[in-house]
Amino acid sequence: MLPEKATHQQTRTFNQQLVLRAIYDRNETSRAELARLTGLTRTSVSALVGELLRDGLVEETGTGPSTGGKAPILLRVRSDARHLIGVDLTAPAFSGALVDLRGRIVRSIRLPLDGRNGDEAVQLVMTLIDSLTSSNGASPLLGIGIGAPGIIDSRKGTIRWAVNLDWADLPLGQQVEQRYGLPTVVVNDSQAAAVAEFTFGAPSRPPNLVVVRVSRGIGSGIILDGRLYQGDGAGAGEIGHGIFGEPDRNLQLEPCRCGRVGCLETVASMHAMVGFARQLDPSITDGPALVAAVRAGNPDARRIVVEAGRRLGQGIGSLISVLNINQVLLIGTATALGDEWLNAVRDQAKASALPQLSRETRIELGAARDEDDVLVGASALLMTQELGLSLAR
């Protein structure tokens, strides 16, 4: 939205982003169609398109069907017109990639964390980005998007608290911008994954959406009216550190990274489930082994997975009650556990929320993007900031 007393340059930038967004959202379109979609005059649209062509962001792709006069020339955004650097700082390794304007991975790299934290972990971030900047080809770099665990003030690019990395009030965004001279966005990893799911997942995502990521930890990202909702303190969606119900007293419960006992991460994450299963069956040492045990019908593994699904369902039920959102997507390594886990989550979420609010809610698995959700989502946020492209399609 333009300020009430916008300058000429602000108005021109706004209109240019409006035109670029219309082209991006429709893959291919004509100048006449752009004028109709944006409400701008054809003369203004032609001038703005000319600038986008000169900047290399847009290209002409041929002619479209004629409606009686001259066949229109079609335009589309060049997916390789700019590259973005996406970074995922989720343990046990830092990963990064060059990403094009359609969210496709051009090149990726993964560096093991190997127990680093504090300043050593910050240096590993710089090493990762150094490698990506040096390997970029002819496409100009638009900026850097970083997804990191913890509570993050993305407006300032400051990591307020990331206990596993021993980071507190770390101005990572400012440090990266100063080092590389590129615009930088820093966002919570689960929020970034939600943006990736919303932007590049299935084509019919609703404008209101909750994405819950269940892997080593648990977190969620909330999309409201097509925008990432972060809350007043940028920590919206941190359900992993909520406490829901009493865990099984027969299992030894680890204290949470935050220092409390009973947080959802410690009873319902993939890491927690593997730990519980190992107490009963030492052969279950990691996530794939737990998945295999569940599929083989191991009764202890099945019981643990169902109980964890119920605990997660309680947390999701609270989100449904507060937000009254009809679409919840589950992503992360735990989704490989199958229908028994998924049905436990669904049943308990519906039982935990007010029936009038949960009746229309659908809890489903998100689109598979392997391990790239966080870095692709952080890149998408950077793209919206710098080019004005809307997350909503």
Side-chain angles (χ1 to χ4, degrees):
M1 182 180 296
L2 277 169
E4 289 185 14
K5 295 183 179 180
T7 65
H8 175 74
Q9 183 57 44
Q10 286 174 323
T11 301
R12 190 163 191 83
T13 299
F14 178 84
N15 288 340
Q16 187 180 69
Q17 291 181 346
L18 188 66
V19 169
L20 182 63
R21 183 162 65 245
I23 300 171
Y24 185 87
D25 289 347
R26 284 156 186 81
N27 291 320
E28 286 188 331
T29 190
S30 67
R31 289 170 175 81
E33 180 68 3
L34 286 172
R36 187 187 69 80
L37 291 168
T38 62
L40 300 172
T41 66
R42 292 198 177 197
T43 301
S44 295
V45 166
S46 293
L48 293 167
V49 166
E51 293 176 6
L52 293 171
L53 288 167
R54 287 192 294 274
D55 288 342
L57 281 166
V58 167
E59 63 184 353
E60 295 178 339
T61 61
T63 57
S66 172
T67 57
K70 185 179 178 181
I73 297 174
L74 297 179
L75 304 159
R76 72 178 174 196
V77 172
R78 288 180 50 215
S79 60
D80 63 348
R82 302 287 188 274
H83 282 165
L84 306 93
I85 291 178
V87 176
D88 178 2
L89 303 184
T90 307
F94 288 174
S95 58
L98 292 170
V99 183
D100 73 12
L101 294 181
R102 288 293 178 186
R104 292 185 287 258
I105 303 295
V106 177
R107 179 180 181 270
S108 61
I109 184 172
R110 183 177 175 87
L111 299 178
L113 193 54
D114 288 338
R116 294 180 183 89
N117 58 26
D119 291 341
E120 287 186 346
V122 173
Q123 185 54 52
L124 189 65
V125 176
M126 304 307 179
T127 300
L128 184 72
I129 299 174
D130 284 346
S131 177
L132 292 167
T133 54
S134 64
S135 65
N136 187 43
S139 299
L141 285 172
L142 184 65
I144 301 169
I146 300 174
I151 305 295
I152 296 171
D153 184 346
S154 59
R155 299 170 185 87
K156 296 180 179 179
T158 298
I159 298 177
R160 293 171 52 196
W161 180 71
V163 63
N164 274 7
L165 296 169
D166 194 24
W167 287 345
D169 296 321
L170 173 69
L172 184 63
Q174 180 183 351
Q175 292 178 8
V176 171
E177 280 197 7
Q178 289 176 349
R179 181 181 176 104
Y180 299 100
L182 292 169
T184 301
V185 167
V186 185
V187 66
N188 170 268
D189 54 352
S190 293
Q191 293 177 355
V195 170
E197 189 67 41
F198 180 74
T199 309
F200 300 115
S204 58
R205 295 288 187 239
N208 297 325
L209 178 70
V210 169
V211 180
V212 180
R213 189 168 180 250
V214 188
S215 292
R216 181 175 180 82
I218 296 177
S220 69
I222 302 168
I223 306 291
L224 296 180
D225 196 24
R227 297 176 181 273
L228 177 65
Y229 176 73
Q230 295 178 292
D232 292 337
E238 276 286 351
I239 65 169
H241 295 285
I243 298 175
F244 304 96
E246 290 290 331
D248 189 335
R249 296 181 183 274
N250 295 319
L251 296 172
Q252 185 176 351
L253 192 63
E254 294 182 3
C256 184
R257 297 171 298 165
C258 71
R260 302 192 304 166
V261 176
C263 289
L264 190 61
E265 277 196 4
T266 66
V267 297
S269 67
M270 195 64 165
H271 177 72
M273 286 186 274
V274 170
F276 291 149
R278 189 187 298 121
Q279 292 177 34
L280 302 175
D281 184 345
S283 69
I284 300 175
T285 58
D286 56 20
L290 177 62
V291 172
V294 170
R295 291 177 178 173
N298 181 311
D300 289 329
R302 290 174 63 191
R303 177 174 61 81
I304 286 168
V305 163
V306 168
E307 179 61 21
R310 288 175 181 150
R311 292 286 170 253
L312 179 62
Q314 288 179 325
I316 292 174
S318 69
L319 289 176
I320 295 170
S321 295
V322 170
L323 299 171
N324 189 24
I325 282 182
N326 289 342
Q327 177 79 74
V328 177
L329 298 178
L330 303 176
I331 62 174
T333 55
T335 59
L337 291 168
D339 288 343
E340 208 161 10
W341 174 79
L342 178 59
N343 289 335
V345 175
R346 285 171 169 164
D347 293 345
Q348 190 62 51
K350 293 291 184 75
S352 300
L354 189 68
Q356 286 80 359
L357 298 182
S358 64
R359 186 176 295 119
E360 302 298 324
T361 301
R362 301 181 307 280
I363 301 175
E364 301 169 346
L365 301 184
R369 291 191 64 88
D370 300 322
E371 299 178 349
D372 299 330
D373 291 67
V374 172
L375 61 87
V376 169
S379 300
L381 277 177
L382 189 282
M383 188 171 65
T384 64
Q385 172 183 290
E386 295 304 305
L387 297 180
L389 300 181
S390 174
L391 293 180
R393 288 160 298 172

